[in-house]
């Protein structure tokens, strides 16, 4: 372990039991003593059982807790096999996400696919509720609410989302380019059918992904309607060439119908103006604005139709749900003029 650490390797440990966790932390302590602190970002995965005496050691050793939250719930394997085998005392030490968070441990999260579901929303649901959603593969199948599993170890929704986004980016040494929505980072985004913070926590698993965008690819303009945008979001993210180039208040971004961003996106001349004029045009690079809103993405200033109307028909129009309607014809024009 010390030799690997000293050579710059990042080590991913599988540590399920309390002895395995302690032996890994002991090995990390030896490596720190031999090599000093570094940015290798070693992490322990699974962490089914962690002794309370070892909770605080993660921070002091710079070790991250790589959690797979879907298993931290009452389900057949847990209730019929694991708890009887471990006994009540050790069974209470399982998946101590809350204690690790309170101790200041950096949490990163994954799915453990292919022996588990790759759906991060189900994992987030369990991390927050400590109960399995009905659709998950390890659901008891009763379709009745189950008691939370060691509820004091639950995370908040914000903490769980952070682990699955910023945490995962950090552990992969990608936190400077992705994991959070910030100017200069990749436009790696998902469009959800709801705001999970605005709904009961037991409905987290019901959330559906409408669109996934990697470095801006697949992202089309969501809205140019000023009043509509302002009613659903106070800030707009501007994407160009796969990166977020600016985050601005709605009122500032849409100060007038002829704002340079609006003009550039809808193909007016010049296509790039204002801050975007300083960007080097990249052939085929999509540019777009993100603000969830119902209705037509381009009304009321679509150059192909009268305000409030649209003369496009499938497959020109692509619908992903009530929150998004994207016009391929305008998007294609945008890509051409950006180049």
């Amino acid at each position: 372990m010390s030799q690997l650490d000293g050579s710059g390797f990042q080590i991913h440990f599988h540590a399920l039991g309390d002895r395995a966790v302690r032996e890994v932390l002991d090995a990390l302590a030896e490596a720190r003593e031999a090599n000093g602190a570094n940015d290798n970002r070693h992490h322990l995965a699974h962490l089914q059982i962690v002794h309370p005496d070892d909770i605080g050691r993660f921070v002091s050793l710079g070790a991250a807790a790589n959690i797979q939250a879907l298993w931290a719930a009452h389900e057949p394997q847990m209730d019929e096999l694991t708890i009887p085998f471990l006994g009540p005392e050790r069974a209470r030490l399982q998946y101590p996400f809350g204690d690790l968070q309170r101790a200041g441990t950096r949490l990163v999260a994954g799915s453990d696919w292919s022996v588990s579901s790759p759906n991060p929303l189900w994992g987030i649901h369990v991390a927050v509720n400590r109960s399995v959603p009905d659709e998950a593969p390890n659901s008891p199948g009763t379709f009745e609410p189950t008691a939370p599993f060691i509820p004091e170890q639950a995370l908040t929704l914000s903490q769980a989302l952070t682990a699955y986004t910023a945490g995962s980016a950090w552990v992969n040494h990608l936190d400077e380019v992705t994991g959070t929505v910030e100017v200069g980072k990749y436009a790696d985004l998902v469009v959800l059918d709801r705001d999970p913070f605005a709904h009961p926590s037991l409905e987290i698993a019901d959330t559906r992904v409408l669109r996934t965008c990697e470095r801006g690819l697949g992202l089309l303009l969501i809205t140019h309607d000023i009043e509509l945008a302002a009613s659903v979001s106070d800030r707009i993210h501007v994407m160009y060439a796969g990166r977020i180039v600016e985050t601005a208040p709605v009122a500032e971004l849409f100060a007038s119908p002829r704002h340079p961003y609006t003009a550039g996106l809808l193909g007016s001349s010049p296509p790039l103006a204002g801050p975007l004029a300083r960007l080097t045009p990249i052939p085929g690079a999509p540019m777009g604005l993100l603000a969830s809103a119902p209705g037509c993405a381009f009304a009321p200033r679509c150059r192909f139709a009268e305000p409030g109307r649209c003369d496009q028909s499938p497959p020109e129009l692509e619908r992903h749900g009530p929150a998004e309607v994207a016009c391929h014809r305008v998007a294609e024009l945008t890509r051409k003029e950006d180049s």
Side-chain angles (χ1 to χ4, degrees):
M1 166 64 204
S2 295
Q3 290 180 330
L4 290 170
D5 177 68
S7 298
F9 282 88
Q10 179 187 34
I11 305 177
H12 173 113
F13 297 95
H14 282 235
L16 278 79
D18 50 346
R19 178 178 174 181
V21 172
R22 179 163 294 178
E23 290 187 352
V24 168
L25 294 174
D26 288 346
L28 285 173
E30 292 181 5
R32 285 287 180 266
E33 184 175 354
N35 305 320
N38 55 46
D39 193 35
N40 289 341
R41 305 186 184 185
H42 307 307
H43 47 115
L44 287 70
H46 305 316
L47 301 173
Q48 182 167 356
I49 305 174
V50 182
H51 193 280
D53 292 346
D54 291 321
I55 294 289
R57 300 180 67 195
F58 283 77
V59 174
S60 63
L61 295 172
N66 188 336
I67 66 173
Q68 290 70 45
L70 192 65
W71 304 110
H74 285 293
E75 42 87 26
Q77 180 173 287
M78 174 65 72
D79 294 341
E80 298 170 12
L81 176 64
T82 305
I83 291 177
F85 179 80
L86 292 175
E89 181 179 355
R90 186 165 274 114
R92 294 289 302 173
L93 304 180
Q94 292 187 87
Y95 303 112
F97 306 152
D99 283 348
L100 289 164
Q101 173 73 34
R102 287 184 285 272
T105 307
R106 186 185 293 273
L107 298 184
V108 306
S111 69
D112 205 27
W113 185 84
S114 62
V115 297
S116 178
S117 167
N119 186 345
L121 291 166
W122 287 350
I124 291 169
H125 179 102
V126 177
V128 174
N129 295 289
R130 302 286 287 199
S131 61
V132 182
D134 289 333
E135 296 176 326
N138 58 331
S139 169
T142 61
F143 296 97
E144 296 179 1
T146 57
F149 179 68
I150 319 178
E152 62 269 26
Q153 299 299 344
L155 299 175
T156 66
L157 177 55
S158 178
Q159 291 167 346
L161 281 169
T162 299
Y164 275 89
T165 53
S168 296
W170 179 88
V171 81
N172 285 289
H173 292 267
L174 294 172
D175 49 308
E176 292 187 358
V177 295
T178 191
T180 55
V181 180
E182 297 180 55
V183 171
K185 291 191 175 182
Y186 294 142
D188 293 339
L189 305 162
V190 293
V191 179
L192 304 178
D193 68 347
R194 71 195 69 190
D195 177 359
F197 288 94
H199 292 262
S201 64
L202 287 173
E203 296 180 8
I204 293 172
D206 297 332
T207 304
R208 295 293 181 265
V209 175
L210 300 178
R211 171 159 290 192
T212 300
C213 314
E214 181 184 3
R215 301 193 185 186
L217 297 178
L219 183 66
L220 299 177
L221 185 62
I222 306 293
T223 182
H224 264 179
D225 188 316
I226 302 171
E227 294 181 358
L228 201 55
S231 71
V232 298
S233 178
D234 61 347
R235 299 186 72 80
I236 300 291
H237 306 292
V238 182
M239 271 70 68
Y240 179 69
R243 289 182 183 265
I244 298 169
V245 296
E246 183 166 326
T247 298
V250 173
E252 176 184 325
L253 192 62
F254 292 107
S256 74
R258 307 305 304 168
H259 188 281
Y261 291 126
T262 306
L265 286 165
L266 291 186
S268 299
S269 181
L272 295 179
L276 293 186
R278 295 192 296 269
L279 299 173
T280 302
I282 299 176
M287 179 169 63
L289 307 180
L290 177 66
S292 298
C296 178
F298 301 95
R301 283 179 292 281
C302 177
R303 62 183 292 186
F304 297 113
E306 294 296 325
R309 298 178 53 197
C310 185
D311 60 3
Q312 307 303 303
S313 60
E316 296 280 6
L317 282 178
E318 182 178 346
R319 294 180 179 272
H320 298 274
E324 181 180 4
V325 180
C327 177
H328 285 210
R329 187 171 177 182
V330 176
E332 182 63 27
L333 174 72
T334 299
R335 284 192 288 270
K336 288 180 179 178
E337 297 208 5
D338 282 347
S339 64

